[in-house]
Every structure is written in C-alpha cells, then in structure tokens.
C-alpha cells in the first residue's frame, strides 16, 4: 500500500464528464489498496475568466481581493469530484486550503507555502477516505486567503506530498509527459521517459509550462518523487529523477522557451559605482523579478548602457519606474521592447561537452536570427531573440541537436 498524491490540471477537470473520468481513475488506485490524496486545479479557463471579470472593474485589482476571487475556481472542482467519488461509493472529503491549513506568507497572488498541517488529511486517509484538496490556495497568518501564482496547484500538490511523506506525487495533465520541447511549436518533439531534477528545474524556470517552477523546487528540497502523466492516455509518463547523470546520454535534454519576456534599457548612465544598484533597487522594491542583466560600455565615454529583462506582465510598471528615475540617474534615455522571447537549451550533458554554445549560435545565424542577449549557466544556454523568430528558432535547434523523434 502506498500513499499517492495525484494532481489534476484544469483540462482534466474541465467538464462534468472529465471530473467523472478522474473519479474513475482515483477509484482504481483506491481499489488497488492505495491511499489517495487528490489536488485539483479549477476547470480550464476558469481562472482566466475570473481574472477577466476583475479587470473589467479595475485594471490592477487589489491583490487581496483578487485572491478571494481566484480561489473560488478550485472550490468548485473539489466539491464536484468529491460528489463524483461518493456517487461511486468511494468515500471522499473535499477541503479548501484554509481548511487543511496550508499556511503561506502574505504575498497575495504569489504567496509561498510555509507549512502544512497534514494531521487532518492523514486522519481521513486512515479512515479510508479519499481527500480532495483545492490547489493554488492557502491562508496566511491573518486568516486571509492567498493564492500561489498561476499554475500554483502543482506546487500545492508537491508541498502536500512532502508534508505527508507520500510515496509518489503524480501530476496529471493534458500531455503524457515532459517533452524535448513544446509539441505545439515542434510537432516532432519527443517524450522523455526520465529527466533529471536539475534539468526539470531549468526547463521550468526557462519557460516550460509542464510544471510550475516552485513545484519543482519543492520536490527537490524535500526529495519528493515526481511523475508527470496524462489523464487521458494511460502510460508511464515522465519520471523526474534525482540522479545527476544525464539519463539519456544526450548533450541536450530539451529546449525551453518563454514568450513572457520584455527588456528594458537605460542608455547613457554614468559609469560609476552604485549605478546598477540605483537602477535595480526600485525595481526589486516593486517586487519585480529581473532575469538577464547586461551592462555595456557606452559609446560616449564615462557612461554605460544597462539592459535587463523582466516578465512581460511587469513591463509597464518597470518602464514607469525607470522613466521616473531617469532624470535623477542622469540617464540619456530609457528604452523598452516587449516583443522579445527567450529560447534555452538545457542539459546536464552540456557540462562535459564543449562547443554547445557556438553550435547554437551558428544554427541561429544560418537562419538569419539575430541574438539580442545571451546568458549561460552550467547546464543551460539562453538567448533572447525577436518574437517573430520563436518557432523557427526552436525548430532549427531541435533538429540540430538531434532531439526529434525517430
Ligand atoms: N487555477 C490556477 C491557474 O489557472 C492554478 C492551476 O491551475 O494550477 O493558474
Ligand atoms: Mg496548471
């Protein structure tokens, strides 16, 4: 008998029929003698719908109120699944994040989980019930509802699995595993049977939408065995392993990309100590995450150009902040570009292979794709290019690095 945490994403619970199918699958595991905790997303499209309603009222809704609103989507699906299980004579109980006591910090809309009280859940399991928990939400120390950021129910599932010391955390989604790249962009993308935890972490942080990054971080921290599988097709999915060897003996495990990028440049700032801090301090204070940073030597002496990237959602605010400080900084001009994307090659095999970067740059050059920014780490190389070249860039690299299915 094992304790399994299963998380079902929005498309898997997108209709009553699909919720019924999930109930069938859960019941199968119960019949095999396992204890099952289910973590759910809202029905597909529901969180966006709610967000749309809020934005009709206020372009930037109050984060606390937004959490009260957005958390309702998951409350619908947990209740419906519990009913579907009960209808199949499979005893189940649903819980919101607050009921379980998924304690988070108070950073509304991007809260972090601090602690989970597994006692109540464990008691239900021991009494032979399936426990169905709302993903994506928690409660802070003041009793306010929080949400964990888009895609956050993956993180809920992994955190719950860690708290309960589950034997496996299964993430059921609309794809049957982790692919070498997004099959919607490259139809020849191949499913990976295994991927190392480190690679998965990079893929997620670089734009792969299969798992929310925090869920992977959590899995790493608490060594939660994680598997990504389809709720529509039976199969083994992709196992995230904790070995650090490249499992597939390839240089590159996959290609991640992100359309959520924007870049900002401050031109002609004085080239002196403290300037980078002066620029990024207010950006950080506004809770805006900065990704790549490049500081160039400017054409004019004693000045420099400073470029960095942020999430596209933060672009307008970042630009506002820079515009407001440009004068004090003594900057010549502030420029922004929100029509860029980032493509990254990821693989632990990269460590032992030289020349991956030059091969990558060569491929892009052959297609006439101009590289605007570059950043590297031990197991990844990222480039920023114009948005219009995304598909071409991904497909070219996928082919060049031999990732395609045979
Ligand atoms: N319903 C939330 C979202 O759409 C959380 C999730 O699906 O993981 O982002
Ligand atoms: Mg999701």
């Amino acid at each position: 008998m094992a304790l399994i945490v299963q998380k079902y994403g929005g498309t898997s619970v997108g209709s009553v029929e699909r919720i019924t199918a999930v109930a069938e699958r859960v019941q199968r595991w119960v019949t095999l003698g396992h204890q099952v905790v289910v973590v759910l997303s809202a029905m597909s499209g529901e969180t966006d719908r709610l967000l749309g309603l809020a934005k009709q009222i206020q372009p930037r809704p109050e984060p606390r109120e937004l959490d009260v609103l957005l958390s309702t989507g998951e409350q619908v699906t947990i209740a419906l699944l519990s009913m579907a299980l009960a209808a199949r004579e499979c005893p189940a109980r649903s819980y919101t994040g607050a009921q379980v006591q998924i304690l988070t910090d108070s950073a509304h809309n991007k809260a972090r989980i601090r602690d989970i009280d597994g006692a109540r859940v464990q008691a239900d399991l021991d009494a032979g019930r399936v426990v169905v928990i709302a993903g994506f939400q928690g409660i802070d120390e003041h009793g306010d509802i929080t949400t964990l950021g888009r895609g956050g129910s993956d993180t809920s599932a992994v955190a719950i699995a860690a708290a309960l010391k589950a034997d496996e955390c299964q993430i059921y989604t609309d794809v049957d595993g982790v692919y070498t790249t997004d099959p919607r962009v490259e139809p020849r993308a191949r499913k990976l049977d295994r991927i190392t935890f480190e690679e998965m972490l990079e893929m997620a942080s670089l734009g792969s939408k299969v798992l929310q990054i925090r869920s992977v971080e959590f899995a790493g921290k608490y060594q939660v065995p994680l598997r990504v599988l389809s709720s529509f097709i039976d199969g083994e999915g992709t196992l995230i392993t904790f070995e650090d060897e490249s499992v597939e003996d390839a240089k590159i495990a996959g290609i991640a990309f992100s359309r959520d990028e924007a870049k900002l440049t401050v031109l002609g700032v004085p080239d002196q100590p403290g300037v980078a801090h002066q620029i990024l301090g207010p950006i950080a204070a506004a809770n805006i995450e900065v990704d790549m940073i490049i500081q160039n030597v400017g054409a004019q002496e004693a000045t420099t150009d400073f470029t960095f990237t942020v999430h596209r959602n933060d672009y307008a605010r970042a630009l506002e902040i820079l515009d407001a400080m440009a004068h004090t900084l003594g900057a010549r001009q502030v420029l922004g570009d929100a029509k860029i994307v980032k493509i990254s090659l990821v693989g632990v095999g990269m460590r032992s292979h030289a020349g991956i970067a030059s091969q990558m740059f060569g491929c892009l050059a052959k297609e006439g794709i101009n590289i605007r920014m570059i950043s590297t780490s031990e197991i990844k190389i990222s480039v920023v290019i114009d948005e219009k070249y995304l598909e071409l860039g991904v497909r070219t690299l996928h082919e060049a690095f031999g990732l395609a299915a045979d």
Side-chain angles (χ1 to χ4, degrees):
M1 186 186 80
L3 199 170
I4 311 285
V5 174
Q6 302 187 333
K7 181 259 169 179
Y8 293 91
T11 44
S12 310
V13 293
S15 64
V16 167
E17 291 72 34
R18 288 188 172 175
I19 289 175
T20 308
V22 168
E24 269 166 39
R25 183 181 294 277
V26 170
Q27 193 182 30
R28 248 184 283 152
W29 283 82
V30 172
T31 310
L32 291 171
H34 302 299
Q35 294 188 319
V36 184
V37 175
V38 184
V39 178
L40 296 184
S41 289
M43 289 181 163
S44 54
E46 177 63 7
T47 309
D48 286 329
R49 188 185 72 85
L50 294 168
L51 203 55
L53 291 178
K55 292 209 163 153
Q56 283 176 41
I57 292 174
Q58 260 188 316
R60 263 192 249 144
E62 171 64 34
R64 181 191 179 278
E65 302 314 321
L66 197 57
D67 278 349
V68 174
L69 179 70
L70 296 188
S71 62
T72 60
E74 273 73 10
Q75 196 167 331
V76 170
T77 50
I78 56 167
L80 291 175
L81 179 65
S82 300
M83 292 173 196
L85 285 164
R88 313 179 66 79
E89 314 277 322
C90 184
R93 256 188 200 166
S94 64
Y95 292 106
T96 64
Q99 286 175 305
V100 176
Q101 283 294 308
I102 297 179
L103 199 68
T104 71
D105 61 19
S106 302
H108 286 286
N109 312 164
K110 39 177 144 177
R112 281 181 181 268
I113 296 177
R114 283 197 175 142
D115 193 30
I116 295 178
D117 182 2
R120 191 166 181 183
V121 176
Q122 192 63 57
D124 271 319
L125 291 174
D126 293 342
R129 291 187 201 104
V130 171
V131 179
V132 185
I133 303 175
F136 178 54
Q137 57 179 263
I139 191 158
D140 74 1
E141 56 185 348
H142 313 294
D144 284 326
I145 297 173
T146 55
T147 65
L148 310 179
R150 299 308 304 273
S153 47
D154 291 344
T155 302
S156 308
V158 176
I160 288 163
L164 296 170
K165 302 198 169 47
D167 296 288
E168 190 165 284
C169 181
Q170 305 175 338
I171 309 280
Y172 288 90
T173 173
D174 50 355
V175 291
D176 59 341
V178 179
Y179 276 70
T180 48
T181 196
D182 187 337
R184 283 167 296 192
V185 166
E186 170 50 281
R188 297 178 66 216
R190 184 168 50 85
K191 183 183 82 83
L192 300 164
D193 293 332
R194 300 152 77 90
I195 185 168
T196 70
F197 159 74
E198 247 187 312
E199 288 168 336
M200 194 63 238
L201 193 62
E202 285 285 7
M203 292 285 280
S205 77
L206 294 167
S208 155
K209 297 259 160 62
V210 180
L211 289 174
Q212 199 215 26
I213 169 120
R214 284 199 191 152
S215 71
V216 187
E217 285 169 2
F218 237 100
K221 194 162 162 201
Y222 298 99
Q223 301 268 306
V224 178
L226 200 58
R227 191 184 286 278
V228 177
L229 353 83
S230 161
S231 53
F232 304 110
I233 315 157
D234 287 326
E236 295 292 297
T238 302
L239 182 68
I240 309 328
T241 69
F242 289 96
E243 303 149 26
D244 40 279
E245 299 283 289
S246 148
V247 254
E248 303 235 337
D249 194 38
K251 293 182 273 191
I252 304 298
I255 301 175
F257 58 83
S258 161
R259 301 178 208 263
D260 302 329
E261 308 286 318
K263 85 180 156 75
L264 297 123
T265 301
V266 192
L267 288 175
V269 286
D271 192 5
Q272 64 197 33
V275 167
H277 175 68
Q278 245 180 301
I279 296 174
L280 294 184
I283 297 285
N287 229 332
I288 297 175
E289 259 177 63
V290 171
D291 180 21
M292 291 190 197
I293 302 172
I294 289 179
Q295 185 183 307
N296 310 304
V297 178
Q300 275 150 298
E301 256 177 62
T303 69
T304 174
D305 299 339
F306 191 92
T307 302
F308 60 95
T309 61
V310 297
H311 193 285
R312 226 176 260 190
N313 290 347
D314 292 326
Y315 174 64
R317 256 170 90 219
L319 200 56
E320 252 172 53
I321 293 170
L322 293 186
D323 277 334
M325 74 164 106
H327 186 71
T328 344
L329 266 177
R332 186 152 35 85
Q333 202 184 351
V334 174
L335 297 175
D337 185 353
K339 289 202 156 129
I340 55 159
V341 292
K342 180 169 70 175
I343 301 184
S344 311
L345 299 183
V346 174
V348 293
M350 206 180 273
R351 280 194 189 114
S352 48
H353 287 89
I356 307 273
S358 71
Q359 190 184 344
M360 179 188 198
F361 304 156
C363 289
L364 296 173
K366 227 193 279 162
E367 297 296 335
I369 300 174
N370 195 20
I371 301 172
R372 308 212 164 261
M373 296 173 86
I374 300 169
S375 104
T376 65
S377 78
E378 256 207 310
I379 68 161
K380 73 118 203 277
I381 306 167
S382 302
V383 295
V384 166
I385 61 172
D386 288 347
E387 186 177 70
K388 62 178 184 234
Y389 293 125
L390 174 75
E391 281 80 9
L392 178 63
V394 169
R395 287 185 200 140
T396 303
L397 294 169
H398 198 266
E399 178 70 37
F401 284 91
L403 293 173
D406 306 319

